[in-house]
């Protein structure tokens, strides 16, 4: 079973700063099958990145994804007020079929 | 516009049953795999079940296997999650989500509370 571990659990930054969120897999994940989601309080998750580095429709280019194998990163180049939320990574295709990380809470400093 | 609307949540006693529905619109429903994902209060996302476009393949998380049944009706553009033998730990918001590998569209969720 693949386990995804996200770090840090909480990240405190100010608007305008750069955010780097990590997702580490317990075994190698194909880059094709790694996604990132954003969730704001009281809302459903929103797809940000798929295939480790492809932005979903309508996602601003300040969001970028990278990585391969067991280490993946979501970077927000310059934080906007609306970017403060919880972020989840997800793998798909391996047993169990889908796995989410535990989330990183990006909060305003 | 893609829309997914869940319904059927509510309060149920431990050991009881509930049936969730998800109505889909704005896309060719019969061409897509669909999923249920849940989120316990204050917790992270937890994949529950997946169904292929023609119902040939259905997968479940170990935590719900044997208790939950996922089905779909492509003529009605609808999904169903029959939940039996409910436990307190099944308390969560249940989301339906469209899968194109990743989950590209999500409903707003329906809350299931299992409590005596």
């Amino acid at each position: 079973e693949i386990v995804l571990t996200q770090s840090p659990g909480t990240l405190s930054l100010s608007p305008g700063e750069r955010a780097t969120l990590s997702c580490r897999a317990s075994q190698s994940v194909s880059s094709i099958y790694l996604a990132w989601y954003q969730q704001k309080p009281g809302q459903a998750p929103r797809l940000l990145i798929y295939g480790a580095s492809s932005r979903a429709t309508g996602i601003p280019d300040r969001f970028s994804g990278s990585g391969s194998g067991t280490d993946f990163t979501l970077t927000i180049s310059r934080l906007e007020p609306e970017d403060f939320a919880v972020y989840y990574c997800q793998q798909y295709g391996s047993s169990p079929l889908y796995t989410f990380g535990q989330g990183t809470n990006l909060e305003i400093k | 516009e893609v829309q997914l609307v869940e319904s059927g949540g509510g309060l149920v006693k431990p050991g009881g049953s509930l049936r969730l529905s998800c109505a889909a619109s704005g896309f060719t429903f019969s061409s897509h795999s669909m999923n249920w994902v849940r989120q316990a209060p204050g917790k992270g996302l937890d994949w529950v079940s997946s169904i292929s476009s023609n119902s040939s393949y259905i997968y479940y998380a170990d935590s719900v296997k044997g208790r939950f049944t996922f089905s779909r009706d492509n003529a009605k553009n609808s999904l169903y999650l029959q939940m039996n033998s409910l436990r307190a730990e099944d308390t969560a918001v249940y989301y339906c989500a469209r899968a194109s590998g990743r989950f590209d569209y999500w409903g707003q969720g329906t809350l299931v509370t299992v409590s005596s």
Side-chain angles (χ1 to χ4, degrees):
Chain A
E1 174 179 335
I2 292 182
V3 176
L4 300 179
T5 301
Q6 293 186 240
S7 61
T10 300
L11 183 58
S12 300
L13 293 171
S14 300
E17 291 192 291
R18 180 185 185 90
T20 303
L21 287 66
S22 173
C23 176
R24 179 161 291 176
S26 58
Q27 54 188 281
S28 185
V29 172
S30 172
S31 297
I32 301 172
Y33 301 129
L34 194 289
W36 289 92
Y37 300 84
Q38 176 193 68
Q39 188 179 32
K40 297 180 181 178
Q43 295 185 16
R46 177 174 71 145
L47 176 67
L48 295 176
I49 300 287
Y50 64 94
S53 60
S54 297
R55 274 188 299 278
T57 303
I59 301 303
D61 60 8
R62 64 180 180 273
F63 290 90
S64 63
S66 63
S68 64
T70 59
D71 289 298
F72 298 89
T73 300
L74 174 69
T75 302
I76 311 171
S77 59
R78 190 173 169 83
L79 286 166
E80 297 287 343
E82 63 267 27
D83 298 337
F84 292 92
V86 180
Y87 292 83
Y88 295 94
C89 59
Q90 179 208 35
Q91 70 84 27
Y92 45 99
S94 296
S95 180
L97 197 56
Y98 298 95
T99 308
F100 291 93
Q102 83 280 15
T104 290
N105 181 25
L106 177 57
E107 64 175 26
I108 298 177
K109 188 174 182 179
Chain B
E1 179 195 4
V2 172
Q3 282 199 317
L4 298 169
V5 180
E6 302 92 340
S7 61
L11 175 63
V12 61
K13 289 181 168 53
S17 298
L18 210 56
R19 189 196 197 206
L20 304 185
S21 299
C22 173
S25 61
F27 66 101
T28 305
F29 179 73
S30 59
S31 297
H32 289 267
S33 296
M34 300 295 295
N35 290 263
W36 289 97
V37 177
R38 67 185 180 184
Q39 186 169 35
K43 302 296 185 183
L45 301 172
D46 185 28
W47 169 74
V48 173
S49 185
S50 178
I51 191 167
S52 63
S53 58
N54 62 0
S55 303
S56 295
Y57 302 98
I58 305 175
Y59 304 94
Y60 299 95
D62 287 345
S63 57
V64 307
K65 203 172 293 184
R67 300 188 298 123
F68 289 13
T69 302
F70 192 2
S71 61
R72 65 189 293 164
D73 184 337
N74 285 346
K76 294 183 178 180
N77 286 0
S78 293
L79 303 172
Y80 307 100
L81 186 67
Q82 177 66 42
M83 304 186 295
N84 298 331
S85 303
L86 282 162
R87 306 167 179 166
E89 54 265 35
D90 296 318
T91 294
V93 173
Y94 284 73
Y95 297 100
C96 62
R98 190 180 85 166
S100 299
R102 65 275 186 184
F103 296 169
D104 55 359
Y105 290 95
W106 299 64
Q108 282 305 300
T110 186
L111 175 62
V112 173
T113 303
V114 184
S115 175
S116 54

